[in-house]
Amino acid sequence: MDIFENMYKTGFVPVVVINNADNAVKTAEALLKGGIDFMEITFRTECAKEAISSVSKNVKNMIVGAGTVINLNQAKEAVEAGAKFIVSPGLSEEVVEWCIENDIPVLPGCVTPTEIMKAVSMGLKNIKFFPANIYGGLSAIKALSAPFGGIKFLPTGGVSEQNLSDFISNPKILAAGGSFVCAAKDIDEGNYDAIAESAARVTDIVRKIRN
Ligand code: 3PG
């Protein structure tokens, strides 16, 4: 099964901001406890690389990727640290080309037909749609799916426990993503039980729709 099939099955990709690499493994374990085996650690903090490396080495059932990857150097650093997939807020040709050459699953952010056409021309079938709540949410994705029937979307930005089922009921949605499952505050304060409980609620929502 390829990583995108797994992502579809899991149905949700937590967007994780780690401020202290020491918290990465416990966060990953809490997500797994709640049934989520994907996490996107964002390159927004100094310790992102260390956090990815530590999850990749110590939490074997977690599929860890890097998010907020905005240049080639970050993509290389993330993969070197053990990232299994790359997510970007927009489409960087050098990042996408390098990932394709190195067989690394990549999800660039695309919200306009022109951006999606670029992704398609580069051979991609999966893209991020960010910020989903600003760019028209599910209605925009439905409209874009008419001309781009072969594309699956990973919407993030404004996804919540309340609207998650609406997103993942649509087969054009690869998975939904968001930070609400493990808010930076909960990670910083070590509220791992809250993270595991929130992940379990998300898992329940997904299981009712996909499996
Ligand atoms: C992202 O990078 O995908 C977003 O910051 C996630 O958005 P959210 O915080 O609204 O979930």
Side-chain angles (χ1 to χ4, degrees), residues 48-50 52-54 56-57 64 76-83:
K49 189 178 173 187
E50 200 186 336
I52 290 169
S53 166
S54 145
S56 154
K57 285 190 187 119
V64 62
K76 288 181 176 171
E77 281 190 37
V79 170
E80 197 182 288

Side-chain angles (χ1 to χ4, degrees), residues 12 15 17 40 42 44 67-68 87 89 128-131 133 154-160 177-181:
F12 185 78
V15 174
V17 179
E40 173 195 324
T42 61
R44 289 174 209 182
T68 324
V87 185
K128 170 168 164 132
F129 187 77
F130 167 79
N133 50 346
L154 173 73
T156 75
V159 174
S160 65
S179 61
F180 70 90
V181 163

Side-chain angles (χ1 to χ4, degrees), residues 18-26 47-52 54-55:
I18 301 275
N19 289 310
N20 176 347
D22 291 347
N23 299 336
V25 164
K26 285 197 172 128
C47 67
K49 189 178 173 187
E50 200 186 336
I52 290 169
S54 145
V55 172

